[in-house]
Amino acid sequence: MRERIDAGRLKGHFREIVESLGYEYVGVEFESVRSGVLLRIYIDAPEGIGHTECEAVSRGVAAFLDEAEESGSPFFQGAYYIEVSSPGLERPLFTPDHYRRFIGKRVAIKTKTKKKITGDIRSCSDDGSVELTMGDGSSQLIAFDDIDRATLVFVLEKGEKKSHNKKSK
């Protein structure tokens, strides 16, 4: 049986660590892997995120988790792995504020029942739901509690050109 993680408590600690270093805490995903738990932490900054920023956050999170383990109150019983990265073009959305920030953008949502829904974010309510405009112009309301994972979908805008790195012969 897999261990139960106090995700809410950990998210708060991770947010404090990331923000104390001057970066935006986007969110964290917990993934069970064969030998333990993978912590995938997303961070951002106006000037972008590089290896140096990811390394600083990784060291801060590792120090926090090591301290908890040394004090006899570990968050995990087995091994854990830390992965820190920029959210990228197809960034995950974790909070209502994320949905509000990207109104008008395309999003792919996987519900807890494994249904996949893709549409443009029309609105985000305070009562805990997001409204999407579907490809046929209809709208669909999805409760946040029903969302398992959501990511932006990169769409090539009109006027943008695809980059091809083909070499001339």
Side-chain angles (χ1 to χ4, degrees), residues 19-66:
E19 290 177 353
S20 74
L21 293 168
Y23 310 120
E24 174 193 351
Y25 170 81
V26 175
V28 63
E29 295 172 338
F30 300 93
E31 184 178 325
S32 291
V33 293
R34 185 176 303 217
S35 57
V37 177
L38 171 65
L39 309 172
R40 187 173 292 120
I41 302 169
Y42 297 98
I43 62 172
D44 208 356
E47 63 281 353
I49 293 296
H51 293 290
T52 304
E53 294 82 6
C54 291
E55 183 180 348
V57 170
S58 182
R59 287 180 191 272
V61 169
F64 165 75
L65 293 172
D66 288 348

